[in-house]
């Protein structure tokens, strides 16, 4: 493949007052992803570059970053498919930068914990079998459980940029994953967090999250469904 220029955001809190852009030029192998390019830089050109990665297969969610202005998984973004030989790589917007492409995910996880992202049950389980679901009830979770917590959706949300207390599309999608689970009995426990001016009512249905999600999920629809659920609960 022809030479590419990676323009990578760099920030070292021990040396830099602000972020800067560093350029790296190299010829990628055919089939390389942006993550392969970053690995090439780290392993061959500049070992000081910091970024997160683990699975290389779009599963772990570690490598969410902003590539040519769009939030994506670096391991699922083919260099060739970007259609340009100039590739900008930046940390996810709206999150504090710890170093280079690594952002502070703690506030993101705090929002996730606020919606209690686990099955809540109050009735005792059957003694002779698991808590079963019909195939139809299981299908209601499709599009809600596949989130890999990469942060691409929350980072792309203008409402989150303006209101750092907004739960954000990821946490609300996760709330929907459990609230629409027919085995769950945690509606009251989650209500305080989601039925709030920083919860479902803060979303302005801008749909950036839908565009950003690498798993093609629809957090905006989940938020609309949660609003209906809350309103039905009030009737
Ligand atoms: Fe796991 Fe990219 S490295 S999703």
């Amino acid at each position: 493949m022809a030479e590419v220029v990676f323009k990578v955001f760099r920030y070292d809190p021990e040396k830099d007052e602000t972020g800067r852009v560093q350029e790296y030029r190299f010829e990628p192998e055919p089939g390389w992803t942006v993550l392969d390019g970053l690995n090439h830089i780290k392993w061959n050109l500049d070992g000081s570059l910091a970024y997160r990665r683990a699975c290389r297969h779009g599963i772990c969610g570690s490598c969410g970053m902003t590539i040519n202005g769009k939030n994506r998984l670096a391991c699922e973004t083919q260099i060739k498919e970007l259609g340009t030989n100039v590739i900008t790589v930046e940390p996810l917007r709206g999150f504090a930068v710890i170093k280079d492409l690594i952002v502070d995910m703690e506030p993101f996880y705090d929002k996730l914990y606020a919606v209690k992202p686990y099955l809540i049950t109050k009735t005792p389980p059957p003694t002779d079998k698991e808590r079963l679901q019909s195939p139809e009830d299981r299908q209601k979770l499709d599009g809600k459980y596949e989130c890999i917590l990469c942060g691409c959706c929350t980072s792309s949300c203008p409402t989150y940029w303006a209101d750092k207390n907004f739960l954000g599309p990821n946490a609300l999608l996760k709330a929907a994953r459990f609230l629409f689970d027919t085995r769950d009995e945690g509606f009251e426990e989650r209500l305080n967090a989601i039925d709030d001016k920083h919860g479902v009512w803060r979303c302005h249905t801008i749909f950036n999250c839908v565009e950003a999600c690498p798993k093609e999920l629809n957090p905006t629809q989940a938020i609309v469904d949660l609003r209906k659920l809350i309103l039905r609960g009030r009737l």
Side-chain angles (χ1 to χ4, degrees):
M1 274 179 74
E3 182 182 78
V4 294
V5 184
F6 265 44
K7 296 187 172 189
V8 183
F9 178 91
R10 303 297 311 269
Y11 171 68
D12 182 340
E14 293 183 358
K15 293 187 200 151
D16 302 321
E17 296 222 336
T18 58
R20 59 194 163 83
V21 174
Q22 190 159 349
E23 287 190 12
Y24 302 93
R25 293 170 185 270
F26 58 90
E27 288 183 17
E29 300 284 337
W32 273 16
T33 63
V34 171
L35 181 60
D36 291 321
L38 293 173
N39 288 339
H40 174 74
I41 293 169
K42 184 162 184 77
W43 295 337
N44 301 297
L45 305 177
D46 184 349
S48 70
L49 180 63
Y51 55 100
R52 289 195 179 105
R53 84 284 189 196
C55 71
R56 281 188 70 212
H57 293 291
I59 300 297
C60 72
S62 304
C63 69
M65 51 189 80
T66 306
I67 299 166
N68 283 3
K70 205 172 154 191
N71 288 356
R72 317 168 197 246
L73 297 178
C75 71
E76 287 204 325
T77 304
Q78 292 277 326
I79 291 175
K80 192 174 171 192
E81 285 174 9
L82 290 170
T84 172
N85 67 339
V86 179
I87 294 146
T88 61
V89 189
E90 302 164 89
L92 286 178
R93 291 169 188 167
F95 296 157
V97 176
I98 295 175
K99 188 179 180 198
D100 297 339
L101 302 172
I102 296 178
V103 294
D104 182 5
M105 298 291 281
E106 282 304 317
F108 174 85
Y109 293 130
D110 287 345
K111 309 280 184 348
L112 185 65
Y113 300 144
V115 302
K116 303 184 190 294
Y118 40 82
L119 198 72
I120 297 174
T121 57
K122 292 172 185 165
T123 52
T127 51
D128 57 339
K129 56 181 183 288
E130 300 156 355
R131 293 178 194 272
L132 295 178
Q133 257 189 329
S134 69
E136 294 74 26
D137 285 343
R138 162 61 189 78
Q139 266 184 359
K140 291 175 190 164
L141 305 181
D142 286 347
K144 297 184 175 70
Y145 74 89
E146 301 92 333
C147 169
I148 58 171
L149 306 180
C150 64
C152 287
C153 62
T154 298
S155 160
S156 73
C157 173
T159 309
Y160 182 74
W161 302 340
D163 175 9
K164 285 291 185 285
N165 292 318
F166 175 42
L167 286 176
N170 160 264
L172 290 168
L173 178 65
K174 189 61 80 177
R177 180 260 171 266
F178 287 101
L179 286 167
F180 289 98
D181 189 318
T182 49
R183 301 163 297 180
D184 189 83
E185 296 162 333
F187 179 71
E188 296 300 330
E189 277 88 339
R190 296 192 184 90
L191 196 59
N192 266 354
I194 64 170
D195 184 14
D196 183 86
K197 65 180 180 181
H198 303 296
V200 291
W201 310 111
R202 179 63 86 194
C203 170
H204 294 291
T205 54
I206 296 167
F207 289 99
N208 276 16
C209 55
V210 179
E211 198 180 323
C213 178
K215 294 297 169 188
E216 300 182 354
L217 306 180
N218 191 333
T220 307
Q221 184 59 53
I223 292 168
V224 171
D225 292 343
L226 286 174
R227 286 174 175 169
K228 289 184 195 163
L229 191 70
I230 292 168
L231 292 174
R232 274 204 300 273
R234 282 184 190 163
L235 293 176

